[in-house]
């Protein structure tokens, strides 16, 4: 019966997730109960640290460091209430904690404890302090395998140190790389994790499994929500930027139009501009939430659609300039 109850818990969470996503696709955007906007840490949690081995698998390195984690027991039912664990990914864990509303919204319904584990080498969880990125030797333990081992040790500590938590089922959550970690966590440490919800997790994004251009195809598809002309203008703008950068007049035009902090001086700097724009488009697609959020930067709901409309206001994206300079 214990196993059936744990499977039902994961089923209910996944069903609720599907219902919310379906609501976003088929109707008006779902309005979260705490009315997400640009987030200013409305969630109540404690910041704690646990001593962690730098190397969980070898015997040559005995170094340890302080791994940060965030925990909230406000809604937790100590009589077998679940633990919702966020597998921290590439960034400061408070950023993910304050922008993962789904876990916070459903915690009262499930009587769940919430735990966010920080990924080693990010935020405050630096194995060697400001020397952590110094050289390959210091970076040797910067792997997904080591991070998953951190999370397993952390959860074992929480379940053994908090009265009533020893029998609490654990559901892992994560998005993007964090989603990959959540899925792998369930596979690798199935005795620790009872289920995982991996959102936008590119678990097959490896050579031989998925084409290298799939991510860009998804970004293009996202920008089509801003109108069919939106991705077309962006595609033609690459040649337009290159052609403009071939003259001092064009470099000045680009610098002024894009309101760059520093003016472009030589044609080669246009490649940096295109690289920056490419990153912006990718981030907009990844953060194309149906509600206002400040995960990467303050953005309105459906920021891709909002951006698609505003592009036409920039001279470089107007049809006449794109056609003129892309020829």
């Amino acid at each position: 019966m214990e196993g059936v109850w744990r499977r039902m818990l994961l089923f209910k969470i996944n069903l609720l997730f599907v219902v919310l996503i379906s609501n976003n696709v088929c109707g008006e955007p779902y309005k979260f109960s705490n009315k997400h906007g640009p987030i200013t840490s409305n969630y109540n949690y404690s910041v704690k640290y646990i001593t962690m081995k730098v190397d969980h698998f070898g015997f040559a390195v005995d170094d340890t460091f302080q791994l940060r984690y965030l925990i909230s027991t406000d809604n937790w039912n100590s009589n077998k209430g679940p633990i919702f664990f966020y597998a921290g990914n590439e960034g400061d864990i408070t950023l993910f904690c304050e922008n993962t509303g789904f876990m916070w919204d459903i915690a009262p319904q499930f009587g769940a404890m919430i735990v966010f584990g920080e990924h080693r080498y990010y935020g405050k969880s630096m194995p060697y302090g400001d020397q952590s990125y110094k050289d390959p030797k210091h970076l040797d333990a910067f792997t997904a395998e080591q991070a998953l081992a951190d999370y397993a040790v952390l959860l074992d500590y929480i379940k053994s140190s908090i009265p009533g938590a020893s029998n609490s089922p654990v559901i892992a959550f994560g998005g993007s790389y964090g989603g990959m970690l959540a899925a792998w966590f369930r596979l690798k440490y199935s005795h620790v994790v009872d289920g995982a919800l991996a959102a936008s997790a590119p678990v097959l994004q490896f050579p031989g499994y998925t084409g290298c251009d799939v991510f860009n195809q998804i970004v293009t598809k996202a920008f089509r929500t801003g109108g069919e002309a939106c991705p077309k203008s962006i595609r033609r703008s690459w040649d337009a930027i290159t052609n403009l950068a071939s003259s001092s007049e064009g470099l000045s035009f680009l610098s002024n139009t894009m309101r760059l902090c520093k003016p472009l001086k030589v044609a080669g700097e246009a490649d940096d501009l295109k690289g920056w724009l490419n990153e912006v488009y990718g981030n907009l697609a990844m953060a194309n939430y149906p509600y206002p959020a400040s995960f990467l930067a303050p953005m309105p709901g459906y920021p891709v659609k909002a951006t698609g409309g505003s592009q036409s206001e920039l001279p470089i994206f107007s049809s006449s300039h794109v056609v003129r300079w892309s020829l």
Side-chain angles (χ1 to χ4, degrees):
M1 291 299 293
E2 181 80 12
V4 173
W5 178 74
R6 289 169 184 258
R7 287 195 295 273
M8 284 300 297
L9 171 66
L10 182 61
F11 172 76
K12 289 179 180 179
I13 292 173
N14 276 288
L15 180 61
L16 181 57
F17 183 74
V18 169
V19 168
L20 298 185
I21 293 299
S22 298
N23 197 350
N24 285 337
V25 173
C26 302
E28 290 298 315
Y30 173 74
K31 300 297 190 291
F32 287 94
S33 60
N34 59 2
K35 296 182 180 180
H36 291 297
I39 295 179
T40 56
S41 187
N42 295 321
Y43 306 127
N44 182 43
Y45 56 83
S46 299
V47 180
K48 297 191 176 184
Y49 292 83
I50 179 175
T51 300
M52 198 68 65
K53 291 182 178 180
V54 170
D55 186 0
H56 291 283
F57 310 113
F59 301 95
V61 178
D62 294 326
D63 299 343
T64 62
F65 71 102
Q66 295 297 298
L67 183 84
R68 181 171 58 163
Y69 67 98
L70 315 177
I71 183 169
S72 173
T73 58
D74 290 353
N75 298 297
W76 183 51
N77 178 356
S78 59
N79 183 22
K80 294 185 179 181
I83 297 173
F84 288 170
F85 178 77
Y86 185 90
N89 36 321
E90 69 280 25
D92 188 303
I93 193 59
T94 59
L95 179 68
F96 299 106
C97 177
E98 295 168 0
N99 287 276
T100 308
F102 179 66
M103 291 173 63
W104 292 98
D105 286 337
I106 66 175
Q109 178 180 343
F110 289 92
M113 178 193 306
I114 293 180
V115 179
F116 282 77
E118 187 160 67
H119 196 298
R120 54 172 53 203
Y121 288 87
Y122 290 106
K124 302 293 185 180
S125 301
M126 293 293 181
Y128 297 104
D130 59 4
Q131 300 296 305
S132 296
Y133 289 86
K134 180 181 179 181
D135 52 43
K137 179 180 178 181
H138 288 81
L139 287 166
D140 188 55
F142 189 10
T143 68
E145 291 84 357
Q146 297 282 6
L148 291 177
D150 289 342
Y151 300 155
V153 171
L154 172 59
L155 283 167
D156 181 68
Y157 169 74
I158 288 173
K159 296 185 79 169
S160 63
S161 63
I162 298 180
S166 59
N167 293 319
S168 292
V170 177
I171 305 297
F173 294 77
S176 191
Y177 169 51
M180 299 168 77
L181 291 173
W184 292 337
F185 199 18
R186 167 59 179 158
L187 291 171
K188 182 67 175 178
Y189 296 91
S190 57
H191 64 293
V192 176
V193 181
D194 295 272
L197 200 160
S200 301
V203 291
L204 295 179
Q205 187 68 43
F206 293 96
Y209 291 94
T210 304
C212 295
D213 62 339
V214 169
F215 177 77
N216 289 333
Q217 292 175 16
I218 295 172
V219 172
T220 300
K221 182 178 179 181
F223 271 84
R224 286 200 182 99
T225 63
E228 194 63 37
C230 185
K232 289 182 179 179
S233 293
I234 293 174
R235 189 176 296 114
R236 298 173 73 175
S237 73
W238 302 128
D239 286 339
I241 291 173
T242 298
N243 293 336
L244 281 165
S246 63
S247 68
S248 57
E249 178 189 1
L251 288 171
S252 178
F253 175 81
L254 284 171
S255 301
N256 294 331
T257 301
M258 295 294 185
R259 304 187 185 119
L260 302 183
C261 297
K262 296 180 179 179
L264 301 176
K265 298 295 186 181
V266 295
E269 292 179 350
D271 291 334
D272 295 332
L273 173 61
K274 288 192 285 187
W276 180 82
L277 287 171
N278 191 56
E279 185 173 342
V280 168
Y281 298 144
N283 287 337
L284 281 169
M286 289 190 289
N288 195 32
Y289 307 134
Y291 48 82
S294 57
F295 178 48
L296 299 177
M299 297 183 190
Y302 296 110
V304 164
K305 190 172 183 178
T307 304
S310 64
Q311 283 180 357
S312 61
E313 300 172 6
L314 292 174
I316 191 173
F317 285 109
S318 68
S319 58
S320 60
H321 276 86
V322 167
V323 171
R324 175 188 173 190
W325 292 107
S326 61
L327 295 178

